[in-house]
PDB file of all heavy atoms in Angstrom:
ATOM      1  N   THR A 299      15.118  12.843 -14.992  1.00 98.00           N
ATOM      2  CA  THR A 299      15.969  12.998 -16.150  1.00 98.00           C
ATOM      3  C   THR A 299      17.389  13.239 -15.712  1.00 98.00           C
ATOM      4  O   THR A 299      18.352  12.818 -16.376  1.00 98.00           O
ATOM      5  CB  THR A 299      15.490  14.188 -17.025  1.00 98.00           C
ATOM      6  OG1 THR A 299      15.396  15.364 -16.200  1.00 98.00           O
ATOM      7  CG2 THR A 299      14.107  13.895 -17.646  1.00 98.00           C
ATOM      8  N   GLU A 300      17.524  13.907 -14.580  1.00 98.00           N
ATOM      9  CA  GLU A 300      18.840  14.230 -14.001  1.00 98.00           C
ATOM     10  C   GLU A 300      18.656  14.546 -12.519  1.00 98.00           C
ATOM     11  O   GLU A 300      17.541  14.789 -12.048  1.00 98.00           O
ATOM     12  CB  GLU A 300      19.465  15.407 -14.746  1.00 98.00           C
ATOM     13  CG  GLU A 300      18.609  16.641 -14.752  1.00 98.00           C
ATOM     14  CD  GLU A 300      19.135  17.689 -15.722  1.00 98.00           C
ATOM     15  OE1 GLU A 300      20.041  17.383 -16.523  1.00 98.00           O
ATOM     16  OE2 GLU A 300      18.637  18.850 -15.678  1.00 98.00           O
ATOM     17  N   CYS A 301      19.761  14.529 -11.810  1.00 98.00           N
ATOM     18  CA  CYS A 301      19.744  14.767 -10.359  1.00 98.00           C
ATOM     19  C   CYS A 301      20.879  15.742  -9.983  1.00 98.00           C
ATOM     20  O   CYS A 301      21.946  15.700 -10.578  1.00 98.00           O
ATOM     21  CB  CYS A 301      19.907  13.469  -9.573  1.00 98.00           C
ATOM     22  SG  CYS A 301      18.700  12.197  -9.930  1.00 98.00           S
ATOM     23  N   ILE A 302      20.610  16.543  -8.931  1.00 98.00           N
ATOM     24  CA  ILE A 302      21.619  17.434  -8.424  1.00 98.00           C
ATOM     25  C   ILE A 302      21.394  17.656  -6.914  1.00 98.00           C
ATOM     26  O   ILE A 302      20.262  17.544  -6.440  1.00 98.00           O
ATOM     27  CB  ILE A 302      21.585  18.786  -9.173  1.00 98.00           C
ATOM     28  CG1 ILE A 302      22.793  19.664  -8.811  1.00 98.00           C
ATOM     29  CG2 ILE A 302      20.270  19.518  -8.906  1.00 98.00           C
ATOM     30  CD1 ILE A 302      22.918  20.925  -9.672  1.00 98.00           C
ATOM     31  N   GLN A 303      22.468  17.946  -6.199  1.00 98.00           N
ATOM     32  CA  GLN A 303      22.358  18.223  -4.756  1.00 98.00           C
ATOM     33  C   GLN A 303      22.082  19.689  -4.538  1.00 98.00           C
ATOM     34  O   GLN A 303      22.943  20.539  -4.762  1.00 98.00           O
ATOM     35  CB  GLN A 303      23.681  17.854  -4.058  1.00 98.00           C
ATOM     36  CG  GLN A 303      24.061  16.350  -4.190  1.00 98.00           C
ATOM     37  CD  GLN A 303      25.394  16.093  -3.551  1.00 98.00           C
ATOM     38  OE1 GLN A 303      25.605  16.355  -2.387  1.00 98.00           O
ATOM     39  NE2 GLN A 303      26.320  15.535  -4.338  1.00 98.00           N
ATOM     40  N   HIS A 304      20.884  19.990  -4.105  1.00 97.00           N
ATOM     41  CA  HIS A 304      20.524  21.416  -3.889  1.00 97.00           C
ATOM     42  C   HIS A 304      21.219  22.025  -2.673  1.00 97.00           C
ATOM     43  O   HIS A 304      21.353  23.248  -2.554  1.00 97.00           O
ATOM     44  CB  HIS A 304      19.008  21.575  -3.762  1.00 97.00           C
ATOM     45  CG  HIS A 304      18.403  21.022  -2.506  1.00 97.00           C
ATOM     46  ND1 HIS A 304      18.482  21.712  -1.290  1.00 97.00           N
ATOM     47  CD2 HIS A 304      17.754  19.882  -2.242  1.00 97.00           C
ATOM     48  CE1 HIS A 304      17.841  21.005  -0.365  1.00 97.00           C
ATOM     49  NE2 HIS A 304      17.430  19.851  -0.920  1.00 97.00           N
ATOM     50  N   ASP A 305      21.697  21.158  -1.767  1.00 96.00           N
ATOM     51  CA  ASP A 305      22.387  21.729  -0.600  1.00 96.00           C
ATOM     52  C   ASP A 305      23.892  21.781  -0.714  1.00 96.00           C
ATOM     53  O   ASP A 305      24.576  22.135   0.235  1.00 96.00           O
ATOM     54  CB  ASP A 305      22.026  20.900   0.674  1.00 96.00           C
ATOM     55  CG  ASP A 305      22.450  19.466   0.603  1.00 96.00           C
ATOM     56  OD1 ASP A 305      22.856  18.982  -0.497  1.00 96.00           O
ATOM     57  OD2 ASP A 305      22.437  18.761   1.656  1.00 96.00           O
ATOM     58  N   MET A 306      24.405  21.491  -1.897  1.00 97.00           N
ATOM     59  CA  MET A 306      25.832  21.702  -2.186  1.00 97.00           C
ATOM     60  C   MET A 306      26.005  23.190  -2.499  1.00 97.00           C
ATOM     61  O   MET A 306      25.618  23.671  -3.548  1.00 97.00           O
ATOM     62  CB  MET A 306      26.282  20.842  -3.360  1.00 97.00           C
ATOM     63  CG  MET A 306      27.720  21.055  -3.809  1.00 97.00           C
ATOM     64  SD  MET A 306      28.968  20.710  -2.513  1.00 97.00           S
ATOM     65  CE  MET A 306      28.810  18.911  -2.349  1.00 97.00           C
ATOM     66  N   ASP A 307      26.581  23.938  -1.547  1.00 95.00           N
ATOM     67  CA  ASP A 307      26.602  25.378  -1.678  1.00 95.00           C
ATOM     68  C   ASP A 307      28.015  25.924  -1.443  1.00 95.00           C
ATOM     69  O   ASP A 307      28.474  26.095  -0.318  1.00 95.00           O
ATOM     70  CB  ASP A 307      25.660  25.973  -0.653  1.00 95.00           C
ATOM     71  CG  ASP A 307      25.508  27.487  -0.760  1.00 95.00           C
ATOM     72  OD1 ASP A 307      26.166  28.090  -1.631  1.00 95.00           O
ATOM     73  OD2 ASP A 307      24.750  28.081   0.013  1.00 95.00           O
ATOM     74  N   VAL A 308      28.689  26.198  -2.573  1.00 96.00           N
ATOM     75  CA  VAL A 308      29.996  26.823  -2.531  1.00 96.00           C
ATOM     76  C   VAL A 308      29.936  28.144  -3.289  1.00 96.00           C
ATOM     77  O   VAL A 308      30.877  28.532  -3.976  1.00 96.00           O
ATOM     78  CB  VAL A 308      31.082  25.868  -3.095  1.00 96.00           C
ATOM     79  CG1 VAL A 308      32.491  26.332  -2.666  1.00 96.00           C
ATOM     80  CG2 VAL A 308      30.879  24.454  -2.607  1.00 96.00           C
ATOM     81  N   THR A 309      28.776  28.771  -3.201  1.00 95.00           N
ATOM     82  CA  THR A 309      28.583  30.039  -3.908  1.00 95.00           C
ATOM     83  C   THR A 309      29.534  31.139  -3.410  1.00 95.00           C
ATOM     84  O   THR A 309      29.843  32.050  -4.183  1.00 95.00           O
ATOM     85  CB  THR A 309      27.108  30.498  -3.779  1.00 95.00           C
ATOM     86  OG1 THR A 309      26.746  30.519  -2.392  1.00 95.00           O
ATOM     87  CG2 THR A 309      26.163  29.570  -4.508  1.00 95.00           C
ATOM     88  N   ALA A 310      29.949  31.059  -2.173  1.00 96.00           N
ATOM     89  CA  ALA A 310      30.863  32.067  -1.656  1.00 96.00           C
ATOM     90  C   ALA A 310      32.229  32.088  -2.371  1.00 96.00           C
ATOM     91  O   ALA A 310      32.921  33.089  -2.373  1.00 96.00           O
ATOM     92  CB  ALA A 310      31.124  31.783  -0.149  1.00 96.00           C
ATOM     93  N   LEU A 311      32.523  30.966  -3.060  1.00 96.00           N
ATOM     94  CA  LEU A 311      33.760  30.898  -3.858  1.00 96.00           C
ATOM     95  C   LEU A 311      33.528  31.046  -5.334  1.00 96.00           C
ATOM     96  O   LEU A 311      34.410  30.763  -6.158  1.00 96.00           O
ATOM     97  CB  LEU A 311      34.480  29.560  -3.595  1.00 96.00           C
ATOM     98  CG  LEU A 311      34.943  29.323  -2.126  1.00 96.00           C
ATOM     99  CD1 LEU A 311      35.637  27.986  -1.997  1.00 96.00           C
ATOM    100  CD2 LEU A 311      35.834  30.485  -1.648  1.00 96.00           C
ATOM    101  N   GLY A 312      32.295  31.458  -5.689  1.00 95.00           N
ATOM    102  CA  GLY A 312      31.997  31.712  -7.087  1.00 95.00           C
ATOM    103  C   GLY A 312      31.368  30.625  -7.858  1.00 95.00           C
ATOM    104  O   GLY A 312      31.144  30.714  -9.066  1.00 95.00           O
ATOM    105  N   TYR A 313      31.076  29.497  -7.212  1.00 95.00           N
ATOM    106  CA  TYR A 313      30.419  28.380  -7.917  1.00 95.00           C
ATOM    107  C   TYR A 313      28.887  28.537  -7.891  1.00 95.00           C
ATOM    108  O   TYR A 313      28.355  29.076  -6.932  1.00 95.00           O
ATOM    109  CB  TYR A 313      30.770  27.030  -7.218  1.00 95.00           C
ATOM    110  CG  TYR A 313      32.237  26.674  -7.341  1.00 95.00           C
ATOM    111  CD1 TYR A 313      33.140  27.049  -6.334  1.00 95.00           C
ATOM    112  CD2 TYR A 313      32.674  25.919  -8.397  1.00 95.00           C
ATOM    113  CE1 TYR A 313      34.466  26.680  -6.418  1.00 95.00           C
ATOM    114  CE2 TYR A 313      34.020  25.528  -8.491  1.00 95.00           C
ATOM    115  CZ  TYR A 313      34.925  25.944  -7.506  1.00 95.00           C
ATOM    116  OH  TYR A 313      36.236  25.573  -7.582  1.00 95.00           O
ATOM    117  N   ALA A 314      28.246  28.046  -8.899  1.00 95.00           N
ATOM    118  CA  ALA A 314      26.788  28.024  -8.888  1.00 95.00           C
ATOM    119  C   ALA A 314      26.285  27.026  -7.840  1.00 95.00           C
ATOM    120  O   ALA A 314      26.976  26.080  -7.505  1.00 95.00           O
ATOM    121  CB  ALA A 314      26.246  27.648 -10.282  1.00 95.00           C
ATOM    122  N   ARG A 315      25.090  27.289  -7.360  1.00 95.00           N
ATOM    123  CA  ARG A 315      24.512  26.370  -6.351  1.00 95.00           C
ATOM    124  C   ARG A 315      24.375  24.982  -6.947  1.00 95.00           C
ATOM    125  O   ARG A 315      23.914  24.805  -8.087  1.00 95.00           O
ATOM    126  CB  ARG A 315      23.121  26.896  -5.966  1.00 95.00           C
ATOM    127  CG  ARG A 315      22.431  26.125  -4.858  1.00 95.00           C
ATOM    128  CD  ARG A 315      23.152  26.284  -3.527  1.00 95.00           C
ATOM    129  NE  ARG A 315      22.394  25.702  -2.444  1.00 95.00           N
ATOM    130  CZ  ARG A 315      21.638  26.386  -1.577  1.00 95.00           C
ATOM    131  NH1 ARG A 315      21.525  27.693  -1.715  1.00 95.00           N
ATOM    132  NH2 ARG A 315      21.009  25.784  -0.612  1.00 95.00           N
ATOM    133  N   GLY A 316      24.784  23.978  -6.204  1.00 96.00           N
ATOM    134  CA  GLY A 316      24.734  22.604  -6.653  1.00 96.00           C
ATOM    135  C   GLY A 316      25.987  22.078  -7.290  1.00 96.00           C
ATOM    136  O   GLY A 316      26.176  20.869  -7.442  1.00 96.00           O
ATOM    137  N   VAL A 317      26.903  22.978  -7.649  1.00 96.00           N
ATOM    138  CA  VAL A 317      28.165  22.560  -8.304  1.00 96.00           C
ATOM    139  C   VAL A 317      29.099  22.039  -7.238  1.00 96.00           C
ATOM    140  O   VAL A 317      29.360  22.660  -6.219  1.00 96.00           O
ATOM    141  CB  VAL A 317      28.797  23.732  -9.052  1.00 96.00           C
ATOM    142  CG1 VAL A 317      30.219  23.390  -9.547  1.00 96.00           C
ATOM    143  CG2 VAL A 317      27.942  24.113 -10.240  1.00 96.00           C
ATOM    144  N   ILE A 318      29.691  20.873  -7.534  1.00 97.00           N
ATOM    145  CA  ILE A 318      30.684  20.237  -6.648  1.00 97.00           C
ATOM    146  C   ILE A 318      32.099  20.705  -7.138  1.00 97.00           C
ATOM    147  O   ILE A 318      32.466  20.432  -8.252  1.00 97.00           O
ATOM    148  CB  ILE A 318      30.610  18.722  -6.700  1.00 97.00           C
ATOM    149  CG1 ILE A 318      29.160  18.249  -6.384  1.00 97.00           C
ATOM    150  CG2 ILE A 318      31.626  18.093  -5.760  1.00 97.00           C
ATOM    151  CD1 ILE A 318      28.958  16.801  -6.660  1.00 97.00           C
ATOM    152  N   PRO A 319      32.814  21.431  -6.294  1.00 96.00           N
ATOM    153  CA  PRO A 319      34.135  21.965  -6.758  1.00 96.00           C
ATOM    154  C   PRO A 319      35.098  20.826  -7.190  1.00 96.00           C
ATOM    155  O   PRO A 319      35.054  19.724  -6.642  1.00 96.00           O
ATOM    156  CB  PRO A 319      34.664  22.681  -5.509  1.00 96.00           C
ATOM    157  CG  PRO A 319      33.439  23.042  -4.739  1.00 96.00           C
ATOM    158  CD  PRO A 319      32.494  21.900  -4.964  1.00 96.00           C
ATOM    159  N   TYR A 320      35.910  21.167  -8.166  1.00 95.00           N
ATOM    160  CA  TYR A 320      36.982  20.291  -8.657  1.00 95.00           C
ATOM    161  C   TYR A 320      36.466  18.964  -9.219  1.00 95.00           C
ATOM    162  O   TYR A 320      37.186  17.965  -9.230  1.00 95.00           O
ATOM    163  CB  TYR A 320      37.993  19.989  -7.541  1.00 95.00           C
ATOM    164  CG  TYR A 320      38.388  21.210  -6.719  1.00 95.00           C
ATOM    165  CD1 TYR A 320      38.176  21.244  -5.367  1.00 95.00           C
ATOM    166  CD2 TYR A 320      38.909  22.327  -7.347  1.00 95.00           C
ATOM    167  CE1 TYR A 320      38.487  22.367  -4.610  1.00 95.00           C
ATOM    168  CE2 TYR A 320      39.247  23.449  -6.606  1.00 95.00           C
ATOM    169  CZ  TYR A 320      39.052  23.462  -5.271  1.00 95.00           C
ATOM    170  OH  TYR A 320      39.376  24.576  -4.526  1.00 95.00           O
ATOM    171  N   GLN A 321      35.235  18.972  -9.697  1.00 92.00           N
ATOM    172  CA  GLN A 321      34.682  17.759 -10.254  1.00 92.00           C
ATOM    173  C   GLN A 321      34.061  18.093 -11.625  1.00 92.00           C
ATOM    174  O   GLN A 321      33.451  19.125 -11.796  1.00 92.00           O
ATOM    175  CB  GLN A 321      33.598  17.177  -9.345  1.00 92.00           C
ATOM    176  CG  GLN A 321      33.059  15.820  -9.777  1.00 92.00           C
ATOM    177  CD  GLN A 321      32.319  15.117  -8.660  1.00 92.00           C
ATOM    178  OE1 GLN A 321      32.888  14.846  -7.606  1.00 92.00           O
ATOM    179  NE2 GLN A 321      31.050  14.829  -8.879  1.00 92.00           N
ATOM    180  N   GLU A 322      34.239  17.178 -12.599  1.00 92.00           N
ATOM    181  CA  GLU A 322      33.753  17.458 -13.941  1.00 92.00           C
ATOM    182  C   GLU A 322      32.217  17.585 -13.991  1.00 92.00           C
ATOM    183  O   GLU A 322      31.706  18.440 -14.762  1.00 92.00           O
ATOM    184  CB  GLU A 322      34.223  16.359 -14.921  1.00 92.00           C
ATOM    185  CG  GLU A 322      35.701  16.359 -15.173  1.00 92.00           C
ATOM    186  CD  GLU A 322      36.092  15.318 -16.224  1.00 92.00           C
ATOM    187  OE1 GLU A 322      35.192  14.622 -16.742  1.00 92.00           O
ATOM    188  OE2 GLU A 322      37.307  15.192 -16.502  1.00 92.00           O
ATOM    189  N   GLU A 323      31.513  16.739 -13.318  1.00 96.00           N
ATOM    190  CA  GLU A 323      30.053  16.727 -13.363  1.00 96.00           C
ATOM    191  C   GLU A 323      29.459  16.953 -11.987  1.00 96.00           C
ATOM    192  O   GLU A 323      29.940  16.410 -10.991  1.00 96.00           O
ATOM    193  CB  GLU A 323      29.545  15.427 -13.936  1.00 96.00           C
ATOM    194  CG  GLU A 323      29.966  15.149 -15.376  1.00 96.00           C
ATOM    195  CD  GLU A 323      29.300  16.076 -16.339  1.00 96.00           C
ATOM    196  OE1 GLU A 323      28.271  16.696 -16.014  1.00 96.00           O
ATOM    197  OE2 GLU A 323      29.803  16.211 -17.466  1.00 96.00           O
TER     198      GLU A 323
END
Side-chain angles (χ1 to χ4, degrees):
T299 53
E300 56 192 11
C301 302
I302 189 171
Q303 298 176 57
H304 70 80
D305 63 347
M306 176 60 68
D307 185 0
V308 197
T309 53
L311 297 182
Y313 294 92
R315 185 67 173 260
V317 171
I318 305 169
Y320 316 122
Q321 186 164 301
E322 290 184 2
E323 296 292 341

